[in-house]
Amino acid sequence: MIASHLPVLVILIPLLGAVLAALSRHGFAAWLIALLASAAMAAASLALLFRVQAEGMISYRIGGWAPELGIEYRIDAFNVLIVVLVSVVALLTMIYARRSVLAEIIPERIAWFYTMMLLCVAGLLGIAVTGDAFNAFVFLEISSLATYTLIALGRDRRALVAAYQYLIVGTIGATLYVIGVGLIYLSTGTLNLGLIAERLAGIEGSRALIVAEAFIAVGICLKLALFPLHAWLPNAYAYAPSSAAVLLASTATKVAIYLLARFLFTVFGGHVDVGALPIGAILIVLSVAAMFIASAAAVFQNDVKRILAFSSVGQVGYITLGLALANPTGLAGGLLHLVNHALMKGAAFMAIGAIVLRAGTAKLDELSGIGRTMPWTSAALTVAGLGLIGVPGTSGFVSKYYLILGALEAGFGWLAILIVASSVIAVLYVGRIVEVVWFREPAEAARASREAPLELLLPMWVLAGATIWFGIDAEWPAGLAAAAARQLLGGAP
Amino acid sequence: MIAHFSQIATIFLMVAGLYVVMARGNMVKKLIGLSLFQSSVYLLYLLPGKVIGGTAPIIGAGFTVYANPLPHVLILTAIVVGIATLALGLTLVVRIKEAYGTIEEDEIIAKETPKTRNGPGRGGDAA
């Protein structure tokens, strides 16, 4: 009975949890509610994963209404991967959050913080499970509004400006998306993604559809911070509370990438190019620009959170490159990198959050020798950094390897060289962190701090451990990513 | 030209709103532009929902042509989203005014540039 309602439960649990957390008004109670809700949500999404693996695609009708009239939730091999990723990372973040939040947020606002975290997760999961274009917009705005609030809760006053700027850019992005969806609705008369795909097959090449695809692509690319549209991201991640930055860095952009892939493949067909719009070529150019320029910008930052944020913009480039390649290997590589990057960035942001908790600063020049007093935290940061470079033995290597194979398969030998060359830039910014943290004499901040508490180290090392584990034995995640890529490429009309 | 009057008005509002967002440094004016931009999308959805000669979509004797109700429902949702966004945006502007004493973007940038290396303090943020 319950099992048949799993697709909607993964959203209802955090939504209900958010209401309870808001009503509780008490910091610890709100945290407990958030933790329990996240645990239930993670269990539900894992159950969903096993069901999809056993039975194939699940279609769930909200309120029992058939797709044309009602909203359909559709879970397949692709979005179940996103659902599991978001809910598991959310659970780990909640375990991590308690200590970090106590130190960073004033007591009266703690309950609101957890309310917003749960709302954000509910919105992200909603985007992932829904099969309705407009419903996706509503969930996008639920998660975005929660995100703006989370960022504004940061203790630096620049967090307010960062939140405001993200609000402006994010709203423009979401509105462009709605314009695109509106044009599609006018052309096809439906908002159900599956039905749109069926009806588009008959009317390909119409100018309204090309315009619609352009609006949707640009709108979502604003949300996923594709290279020239990324200006909101570094400040948002740097000034948000540490635990909010963990959640955002590892899930928010990933869900936007999911939505982009859903439209490019399932809705607009297996070939990324529809009619006159060379989205594939544009994506390749912008992805490569992100890999080089954003990574290079990361090298010149002093705040470790900003280094990681610019690195995120660069790493998003690898994922969108996988989408643009649009062959099974390249796409699987892109999706695998999506998962791997979420794990590594989650670990890295957890580590720097723990350092902020103990040493009170994220400025690289003040963190000299912090590895001596916080060895486990610094080691997790290092492992995540090695993953970002793509060192063999970490998961980053596996996904970049698939991407290179995909580039060669598509006949772009030069692209394979660029993937390797851009990884060298990651060596520079990770190398700077490693050098300061491990090889310098402990500075004042390092001498005054001690190892992070266990409840921070535990989730951090689950993610860092996964980075190593999936680098050595990549069979499980690579299998999931390959199944997702097959679903995307084969599911197209 | 006349036949497409409503579409042209929609596009004008859309572009005007987006222009205000980009061209103005005042944070409240930016939000006004953003609101204009969002409102133009409401029109984009609502206009095609009107069917000439159609009535409200309620089944009754003597009526055979109905307007499409779905765009109205969608836009009701979008309006709620728009209000929430505007309210949150204005709230942030109030907090920014408390923290910085100004809501002009260039003045805020000027206040941050000379001391980009300040510590993790609360700044002027009123708790």
Side-chain angles (χ1 to χ4, degrees):
Chain A
M1 175 61 204
I2 293 250
S4 62
H5 292 293
L6 276 176
V8 73
L9 274 178
V10 290
I11 300 162
L12 280 183
I13 293 168
L15 217 49
L16 204 65
V19 175
L20 290 177
L23 289 176
S24 77
R25 291 304 202 89
H26 184 272
F28 182 76
W31 172 74
L32 203 63
I33 291 165
L35 184 71
L36 293 176
S38 310
M41 184 172 77
S45 56
L46 283 173
L48 210 52
L49 172 70
F50 296 131
R51 256 192 74 193
V52 169
Q53 282 180 332
E55 302 166 25
M57 197 190 75
I58 301 172
S59 166
Y60 180 85
R61 294 167 176 187
I62 296 289
W65 294 89
E68 178 77 270
L69 285 174
I71 292 169
E72 182 195 20
Y73 284 3
R74 194 180 270 212
I75 322 278
D76 59 26
F78 178 30
N79 56 3
V80 80
L81 187 69
I82 307 289
V83 170
V84 170
L85 177 75
V86 171
S87 54
V88 169
V89 169
L91 174 61
L92 292 172
T93 312
M94 293 306 177
I95 299 171
Y96 172 93
R98 195 183 70 88
R99 287 293 291 266
S100 174
V101 164
L102 274 178
E104 288 186 20
I105 294 175
I106 53 173
E108 305 90 83
R109 291 191 191 146
I110 289 179
W112 297 115
F113 175 85
Y114 289 113
T115 307
M116 290 302 148
M117 289 284 266
L118 285 172
L119 274 181
C120 181
V121 174
L124 294 174
L125 288 173
I127 300 169
V129 295
T130 189
D132 183 281
F134 199 85
N135 199 224
F137 161 71
V138 175
F139 279 123
L140 187 70
E141 285 294 39
I142 290 176
S143 71
S144 299
L145 288 167
T147 307
Y148 310 144
T149 318
L150 281 174
I151 295 167
L153 281 167
R155 56 183 175 172
D156 194 299
R157 66 174 176 174
R158 279 169 292 183
L160 297 170
V161 183
Y164 177 86
Q165 282 167 342
Y166 184 22
L167 181 134
I168 298 282
V169 174
T171 306
I172 292 176
T175 309
L176 292 178
Y177 170 80
V178 182
I179 294 173
V181 169
L183 293 173
I184 290 185
Y185 175 66
L186 293 183
S187 310
T188 63
T190 178
L191 290 165
N192 183 291
L193 294 178
L195 285 173
I196 292 174
E198 279 171 29
R199 293 181 194 177
L200 280 185
I203 45 174
E204 216 159 319
S206 137
R207 194 194 289 172
L209 291 177
I210 296 172
V211 174
E213 189 182 12
F215 268 114
I216 289 176
V218 174
I220 301 176
C221 285
L222 268 168
K223 298 296 296 186
L224 66 79
L226 187 63
F227 166 63
L229 310 173
H230 69 281
W232 59 268
L233 186 142
N235 280 341
Y237 285 10
Y239 300 126
S242 297
S243 34
V246 172
L247 184 71
L248 298 179
S250 45
T251 58
T253 49
K254 310 300 178 294
V255 172
I257 292 168
Y258 157 78
L259 195 60
L260 181 67
R262 185 55 96 197
F263 268 93
L264 290 186
F265 292 98
T266 310
V267 175
F268 289 110
H271 302 287
V272 177
D273 297 350
V274 166
L277 196 64
I279 285 206
I282 297 172
L283 268 184
I284 289 184
V285 172
L286 295 182
S287 306
V288 171
M291 282 152 47
F292 279 92
I293 302 174
S295 306
V299 178
F300 297 103
Q301 303 300 318
N302 183 38
D303 188 313
V304 178
K305 285 188 180 179
R306 284 179 69 90
I307 296 180
L308 294 176
F310 273 104
S311 144
S312 276
V313 180
Q315 301 284 331
V316 160
Y318 294 101
I319 305 172
T320 48
L321 186 66
L323 300 188
L325 285 173
N327 57 28
T329 323
L331 187 57
L335 298 179
L336 189 58
H337 200 63
L338 183 154
V339 175
N340 289 342
H341 179 247
L343 302 177
M344 323 189 263
K345 248 329 140 39
F349 269 100
M350 280 184 180
I352 191 62
I355 290 176
V356 169
L357 177 74
R358 288 303 197 206
T361 176
K363 300 260 179 286
L364 195 55
D365 49 11
E366 293 169 22
L367 291 178
S368 304
I370 195 92
R372 312 265 176 94
T373 43
M374 303 179 71
W376 286 99
T377 307
S378 306
L381 187 58
T382 311
V383 167
L386 294 177
L388 291 174
I389 300 171
V391 173
T394 62
S395 58
F397 173 76
V398 181
S399 39
K400 278 186 184 166
Y401 178 70
Y402 273 95
L403 276 175
I404 291 171
L405 284 185
L408 293 175
E409 216 170 86
F412 299 138
W414 51 274
L415 204 53
I417 296 170
L418 288 180
I419 293 173
V420 178
S422 62
S423 303
V424 175
I425 306 179
V427 175
L428 292 178
Y429 63 72
V430 173
R432 270 185 75 208
I433 299 178
V434 169
E435 195 261 332
V436 169
V437 165
W438 292 108
F439 299 114
R440 288 206 189 159
E441 281 305 308
E444 191 187 334
R447 283 196 300 274
S449 49
R450 58 206 156 85
E451 187 52 87
L454 189 65
E455 59 181 291
L456 269 66
L457 284 176
L458 205 67
M460 189 193 306
W461 270 98
V462 170
L463 292 177
T467 303
I468 299 174
W469 180 258
F470 291 161
I472 295 166
D473 179 16
E475 203 183 318
W476 189 63
L480 289 179
R486 271 199 306 278
Q487 171 76 37
L488 276 180
L489 292 171
Chain B
M1 190 69 185
I2 297 294
H4 290 107
F5 170 74
S6 51
Q7 279 86 347
I8 290 168
T10 306
I11 292 169
F12 175 76
L13 282 177
M14 205 177 272
V15 179
L18 207 51
Y19 175 78
V20 173
V21 176
M22 291 186 209
R24 293 293 144 193
N26 183 304
M27 290 182 155
V28 173
K29 287 182 184 168
K30 266 182 185 301
L31 285 174
I32 294 172
L34 195 67
S35 225
L36 201 60
F37 179 51
Q38 287 183 302
S39 308
S40 73
V41 181
Y42 307 159
L43 282 179
L44 181 83
Y45 272 71
L46 291 178
L47 290 171
K50 165 76 182 164
V51 176
I52 292 173
T55 65
I58 302 165
I59 297 170
F63 300 115
T64 49
V65 183
Y66 302 107
N68 184 353
L70 186 66
H72 296 80
V73 181
L74 296 178
I75 289 314
L76 264 181
T77 316
I79 289 172
V80 174
V81 169
I83 290 171
T85 311
L86 186 62
L88 182 60
L90 288 172
T91 315
L92 285 173
V93 173
V94 170
R95 294 274 315 273
I96 288 171
K97 170 81 177 168
E98 286 171 0
Y100 286 90
T102 176
I103 55 167
E104 293 290 335
E105 263 194 340
D106 42 0
E107 286 176 24
I108 290 171
I109 294 169
K111 283 193 176 195
E112 287 300 349
T113 357
K115 49 180 188 106
T116 43
R117 296 169 65 83
N118 66 353
R122 290 196 61 86
D125 183 5

